[in-house]
Structure formats: C-alpha cells, structure tokens
Amino acid sequence: MDFGLVLQTDPPASKVVSLMKRAERNGFSHGWTFDSAVLWQEPFVIYSQILANTSKLTVGTMVTNPGTRTWEVTASTFATLNDMFGNRTVCGIGRGDSAMRVAGRAPNTLARISEAMKVIRALGSGREADLGGTVVRFPWIKEDARLPVWMAAYGPKALKMTGEEADGFILQLADLYLTEYMVKAVKDAAVAAGRDPSEVKICVAAPAYVTDDDSPEALAHARDQCRWFGGMVGNHVADLVSKYGEHSAAVPDELTDYIKAREGYDYSHHGRADNPDTDFVPDEIVDRFCLIGPVEKHIEKLNALRELGVDQFAVYDMHDAQEKVIDVYGTTVIPAVNG
C-alpha cells in the first residue's frame, strides 16, 4: 500500500515543504494539498519547491476543480512540473466545494468535470484536446509525458463516472463499510464501461491521529483534533441529501444519517481542528471516518482497507501532532502494513 500526506497550504510555505520532505524520509510516496485559492496559498507554486527538495515524492491536488482555473492552464501547470521533475504529479479533481463556494459560485456539475478531465489528461499527456471548437496541443511537451487524473466522489452518479473515466478514485473517509460499498460501485462501473478495474487506483484519504494508549482521555483528545473532518465530509453529504432525499436507496444511510443536526458551515474554519461548526459530528463518525488510537489500531484498519482494494492511504495531517504522525507512520505503521 502506498501512503500519502495531505496538507493545507497555510503560510509559511516553508513548513509545508518541510513536512513533505519529512514524509518522503519516512516512506510516504505522495504529497497532496487542498486547492482553494481564497482560503490558502497557491499550491502549484509550492509544489515546485516540494519537488525540488524531494527525489521521489509524487505531488497532487486533493482536489482542484474545473471552475477556478481554465483547463488548459491546469494541464499546462501540471505538465510543466512534470517536464521539470519527471512525471511526478497527479491531478486530483472534484466539484470544488470550498474553492467555488467561498468565491460565491456553485460547485461544478459532473458533466463539467467529465469534460475537464478529458481535456486536462489529454493535454498533460501530450495529446490534442478540443477547447470548445479550438483544438490545441502543447508544442513543448515531451513524448513520455503523462498526467493521471483521479476523481473525488461520494454519490452514485459521481462514483459511476469515476469508474468509467478516471485514472483513480479519491474517497475522503475511511469507514470500512462505505469504502467497500463505494469501491465496488467504482469497479463495477469500470467493468461495465469495458475497462480493466485494476487500472483505477483507489485512494482513501482521512485524518490519522496516533495516541500513546487507548485511555478515554487520549481518545477524546484525538477525536476532538479530527472532528473537523466529519464537518468537511458533511458538506458533500448535505448536497447528496438535498438531491436524493433522506433514506434514499441511492445513498447509504451510513453516510447520511449523521448530518441531521447540521445547521450550517463557515468555510473560514474549513479543515481546521478548531472548527466550531462540527459539534454535530458524533464520536462514532470520527471513529468510523478517521484512524485514531494506538499504533495497533491504525495497522489493523489499514490492513482491512487494503483487503478492500485500497491502493493508497493518504493521511490528512491537520491537527496538533503533525510531525509525530509522520514519524510514527514511518517507523512503525508503514513497515508493519507493507512488511
């Protein structure tokens, strides 16, 4: 199993670079960041420094969207980094929850994401693409260029499209039941589309918090540090409930039931441990969606995720123990899972 590190691009950028270097030293293969232009610093500028200061780490967006950048600009940016550092990027893409809403726009439609994925992948891999009537190709791109595009999804239509079109599936939660359910939906869609389902990489991304023991006090602190994640996922779940209704056959209750007490969301606290808009997230959801507790609990859940077909676990590392989690994963968790 591969391991990734997910960070916000909060200033100073030097800290983001330092944590990514630390991750590579500890056996992580991927470095991911958020991409919301208003809330955080520009990730692609920081990627150039991460890539320059690492030797093997692959970097990518978790996630960009097709609404805040024109598609040829997104493709050119990734392709330039690949030309400079040797095909070490992945374009993670989604609807643009925070990026679009903070700028006063609605998240992108699936149709728009589908069109964008085709254009970005083609241009970033050295092929022609149609920009709405004008066919273009980067004249400077190398023959061995490649740009995989991974899609974030939760709902049935998005899962189906991921299996049909994307190079990888980003699932932002680590609940075992929901992982099995959603991975199956993606793989089934790939098969129905005539694709080899093994070609679709599966990446589960969630917070991980390592405690020294399983005392009530230690677990309570870990949950409070990771509760923000249930709020972040809840934004997407609320959209699904709005579209399909409560207790819909199209969306599992295991995903939707917990947001009943959700009242609103302030994106100024998005992805932060002190988010005041996540009181509605119960401990059960934190335990299901995240990896918390002593090292043995992390290893147990990661092995279970691997059995469900997960190729990469990406650690959301936004809490008060960033360095500790990276180091413990490097010294103990990753060797145990991959040993």
Side-chain angles (χ1 to χ4, degrees), residues 23-299:
E24 183 179 61
R25 291 197 302 270
N26 278 281
F28 287 72
S29 60
H30 288 69
W32 304 90
T33 75
F34 286 45
D35 178 22
S36 290
V38 174
L39 295 177
W40 301 291
Q41 292 186 329
E42 174 56 38
F44 291 102
V45 176
I46 300 172
Y47 293 163
S48 67
Q49 289 297 305
I50 295 170
L51 291 166
N53 284 277
T54 57
S55 59
K56 297 180 180 179
L57 199 71
T58 294
V59 303
T61 45
M62 192 173 282
V63 291
T64 193
N65 75 88
T68 54
R69 308 172 196 271
T70 60
W71 307 343
E72 68 272 22
V73 169
T74 298
S76 180
T77 307
F78 276 111
T80 301
L81 291 171
N82 284 336
D83 183 73
M84 293 171 66
F85 300 104
N87 289 338
R88 290 168 56 197
T89 71
V90 177
C91 176
I93 196 168
R95 296 173 64 234
D97 172 55
S98 63
M100 295 296 285
R101 285 183 164 131
V102 167
R105 310 181 190 115
N108 294 271
T109 64
L110 292 180
R112 185 170 174 83
I113 297 172
S114 175
E115 294 173 5
M117 285 201 300
K118 294 180 178 68
V119 168
I120 292 167
R121 182 194 294 113
L123 290 176
S125 301
R127 302 191 299 274
E128 292 182 343
D130 188 339
L131 302 178
T134 300
V135 177
V136 300
R137 179 183 178 275
F138 298 150
W140 47 267
I141 203 162
K142 294 179 180 177
E143 290 185 2
D144 65 347
R146 58 176 176 80
L147 178 59
V149 180
W150 295 10
M151 181 176 166
Y154 294 108
K157 293 182 180 179
L159 293 169
K160 181 174 182 290
M161 196 176 92
T162 300
E164 292 171 343
E165 302 181 25
D167 300 304
F169 168 40
I170 297 172
L171 174 58
Q172 291 164 310
L173 54 79
D175 176 77
L176 296 180
Y177 172 80
L178 291 172
T179 297
E180 182 176 21
Y181 177 97
M182 294 185 185
V183 168
K184 182 178 185 302
V186 169
K187 298 283 191 179
D188 286 351
V191 171
R195 303 181 67 192
D196 180 349
S198 67
E199 293 179 354
V200 184
K201 295 296 183 182
I202 307 297
C203 175
V204 162
Y209 197 100
V210 180
T211 60
D212 295 331
D213 55 46
D214 58 359
S215 66
E217 295 78 12
L219 293 177
H221 180 75
R223 290 181 182 122
D224 285 344
Q225 287 294 304
C226 298
R227 200 175 306 276
W228 64 266
F229 185 68
M232 185 184 82
V233 175
N235 296 325
H236 302 282
V237 175
D239 287 343
L240 291 175
V241 172
S242 176
K243 180 173 183 176
Y244 293 101
E246 295 183 2
H247 307 298
S248 168
V251 184
D253 288 346
E254 289 83 355
L255 178 63
T256 60
D257 276 354
Y258 84 97
I259 70 161
K260 290 179 180 177
R262 179 180 182 271
E263 295 181 351
Y265 193 84
D266 182 352
Y267 282 92
S268 65
H269 304 286
H270 192 55
R272 303 192 186 281
D274 60 354
N275 191 327
D277 296 324
T278 59
D279 290 343
F280 72 92
V281 180
D283 288 351
E284 175 200 1
I285 288 295
V286 181
D287 293 348
R288 282 173 45 202
F289 284 13
C290 306
L291 275 69
I292 65 169
V295 164
E296 295 76 16
K297 292 295 184 181
H298 291 249
I299 295 170

